[in-house]
Amino acid sequence: MSGFVEKPEPQQVPGLLHLHTGKVRDLYRNEAGDLIMVASDRISAYDWVLPSEIPDKGRVLTRLSLWWFDRLADLVPHHVVSTDLPDGAPADWEGRTLVCRSLRMVPVECVARGYLTGSGLVEYDESRTVCGITLPEGLSDGSELPAPIFTPATKAAVGDHDENVTYEEVARQVGAETAAVLRQTTLAVYGRARDIARDRGIILADTKFEFGHTEDGTLVIADEVLTPDSSRFWPAASWQPGRPQPSYDKQYVRDWLTSPASGWDRRGEQPPPALPDEVVAATRAKYLEAYEMLTGTPWA
């Protein structure tokens, strides 16, 4: 059992058709056919969208994605048309709304890993592979891989868990030519972002991208990119393989949910509880710190 603890009602805006309420984003379509993507302050963990929100989170994700889109534009075009607030939209949408091209989305989460952790570590411990890619012996939690790898996953609905798949399965789903372009583009973008982050004292352990095609077949990067929601960011100064790493993402929330303090059984039938104020505040601080370290700009 998983999904929304409390699913929000979509806001009705004249001239916009509500399409979907996601874990974090609400999608609308305007009369011109563009997508309106609104990043909320919702936060998810363990396939649940929690009842607590993290103030400013939606604006951090939006502003950071735009910052990255600018630095990746020579590698792959993005889907953003405008950041102007649609007519009649709530004032609270300011800073969290993107007007985007409508794309034919690729049904695959394109994941790049430069370090071993998470579901990749679980598979490695069982078979010395990640998504069918054989890795050397002797790696542990947090180890840097010999080279970054493309480890795709299925795109799951709210409440379901993405499942890692092999490159061969991606080729079967989308065709060999598209699969090759997805792998090449994913690793190129990861490599660029890894180097930028490293120069700012952050290790980009892994990240996931979503891609789509325009009407003329151009591959475009979409949704969010290289945010604390879609990436694992670790402080480089404290990196030490062989243990879980400190992070600039929602690991703080995961850790609290699985601690005795929450009283929540992750494998039980009950939804997770609301987050204490101190966990909300600490999580917000992590997101802001990641933004400030990467961009070199104080949050305001």
Side-chain angles (χ1 to χ4, degrees):
M1 183 178 180
S2 53
F4 286 92
V5 176
E6 300 170 3
K7 188 169 184 178
E9 289 293 325
Q11 292 180 284
Q12 303 300 322
V13 179
L16 299 185
L17 173 67
H18 177 259
L19 301 176
H20 178 65
T21 298
K23 292 179 181 178
V24 174
R25 287 168 179 78
D26 297 313
L27 292 182
Y28 297 79
R29 191 182 305 280
N30 66 15
E31 294 172 348
D34 296 322
L35 287 180
I36 311 299
M37 192 169 70
V38 185
S40 74
D41 291 338
R42 296 190 293 269
I43 191 164
S44 65
Y46 299 117
D47 302 321
W48 282 97
V49 180
L50 304 180
S52 304
E53 294 189 339
I54 308 300
D56 290 318
K57 178 173 174 285
R59 292 183 175 86
V60 170
L61 301 185
T62 302
R63 201 181 296 181
L64 190 55
S65 290
L66 289 168
W67 186 86
W68 280 113
F69 283 141
D70 285 345
R71 283 150 184 80
L72 303 172
D74 61 315
L75 297 178
V76 59
H78 59 75
H79 67 155
V80 178
V81 175
S82 170
T83 58
D84 293 340
L85 202 62
D87 291 340
D92 183 61
W93 284 16
E94 184 69 47
R96 61 175 76 243
T97 302
L98 299 177
V99 181
C100 305
R101 283 182 283 182
S102 185
L103 304 172
R104 178 168 46 87
M105 296 303 294
V106 177
V108 175
E109 294 276 5
C110 293
V111 180
R113 299 176 191 268
Y115 293 75
L116 187 63
T117 194
S119 62
L121 176 63
V122 173
E123 181 182 338
Y124 174 81
D125 286 342
E126 294 174 350
S127 61
R128 296 297 183 265
T129 65
V130 177
C131 291
I133 300 171
T134 301
L135 296 176
E137 295 283 344
L139 302 181
S140 62
D141 193 357
S143 290
E144 184 173 9
L145 301 179
I149 57 176
F150 176 62
T151 58
T154 58
K155 291 173 66 173
V158 175
D160 294 329
H161 189 66
D162 294 345
E163 295 292 337
N164 293 344
V165 295
T166 63
Y167 176 77
E168 289 72 23
E169 175 60 21
V170 173
R172 188 190 68 79
Q173 287 189 34
V174 303
E177 183 177 351
T178 297
V181 173
L182 290 174
R183 178 168 62 183
Q184 178 185 7
T185 306
T186 296
L187 293 177
V189 172
Y190 172 81
R192 169 76 59 81
R194 174 202 58 199
D195 293 346
I196 290 173
R198 183 179 291 160
D199 287 345
R200 290 155 170 78
I202 289 179
I203 289 174
L204 175 59
D206 55 44
T207 191
K208 64 180 179 179
F209 306 115
E210 293 198 35
F211 295 98
H213 290 98
T214 60
E215 290 185 1
D216 66 3
T218 301
L219 186 71
V220 172
I221 195 166
D223 197 51
E224 64 180 321
V225 60
L226 295 156
T227 73
D229 268 15
S230 65
S231 315
R232 282 189 175 91
F233 293 128
W234 298 337
S238 59
W239 173 59
Q240 182 181 331
R243 60 169 176 82
Q245 310 299 314
S247 64
Y248 296 109
D249 53 33
K250 57 188 176 184
Q251 191 61 44
Y252 194 88
V253 171
R254 296 188 191 102
D255 290 345
W256 182 81
L257 285 172
T258 55
S259 73
S262 76
W264 181 56
D265 180 2
R266 179 184 169 190
R267 294 169 178 78
E269 294 297 318
Q270 295 301 312
L275 302 175
D277 290 346
E278 61 269 21
V279 174
V280 169
T283 303
R284 177 181 181 273
K286 290 285 186 184
Y287 276 71
L288 296 188
E289 186 177 4
Y291 173 84
E292 292 179 343
M293 286 189 68
L294 287 167
T295 67
T297 304
W299 179 259

